[in-house]
Structure formats: structure tokens, C-alpha cells
Amino acid sequence: MVLPGGAVGGTGAGLYINANKATITDSRFALNEAKTETFEGRGGAIGITNSTGVTVSNSEFTSNKSDGSGGAIYTESDLTIERSTFSNNS
């Protein structure tokens, strides 16, 4: 899965997870931006709330941005990251 260049005024510009469990594998998140508009901009690539567990593996996060918390990932839930790379997120 490739998720490039998403923008949102809120949480999770590339992907927003508000569910039980989720697994993200072999994915690339680049140039996504969570902006502060009506809500705090959180999670440039991924925003996670109300989840019982999320696993990210073999994925790449490059040049994602957040006006608030979590340039690449913002989470309020359990998160496991395996064999993934992060570069130039802010």
C-alpha cells in the first residue's frame, strides 16, 4: 500500500484508525500532513485512537508532517512497530 501526499485538518492524514485491531504491512507513507484547522493536527502519516492494538511492519515513513503531535504516527493505543524505517518526519 502506498499513501502519498494526504492532508487533513485533524488526525491521521494518510490513515486514520479508530477501530479494534489493525495490521499494516509493506506500506509506504510519504509527504502526508496533519494540519491544525478545526482539530489539533496529529499523526502526519497515521493517527490511531480507540484501538486495542495496531501492528506496523516492513513499512516506510518519509517526510510526513504534523502541526501538533506525531510527525509520522500519533497514537492513543497500543502500537507495535517491526522492521520499519522513519526519516525526515516532523
Side-chain angles (χ1 to χ4, degrees), residues 4-82:
V8 67
T11 301
L15 179 64
Y16 177 57
I17 300 169
N18 182 13
N20 288 330
K21 292 187 177 189
T23 301
I24 300 162
T25 306
D26 300 322
S27 299
R28 182 170 184 257
F29 296 84
L31 302 170
N32 295 289
E33 184 175 0
K35 300 177 180 183
T36 302
E37 290 179 5
T38 55
F39 299 100
E40 179 182 347
R42 304 179 299 187
I46 301 174
I48 306 165
T49 59
N50 301 317
S51 176
T52 57
V54 174
T55 299
V56 176
S57 61
N58 299 320
S59 295
E60 179 183 335
F61 297 83
T62 306
S63 301
N64 297 287
K65 181 181 176 184
S66 170
D67 287 348
S69 302
I73 299 173
Y74 171 82
T75 185
E76 296 175 354
S77 306
D78 292 337
L79 172 64
T80 301
I81 300 172
E82 305 167 333

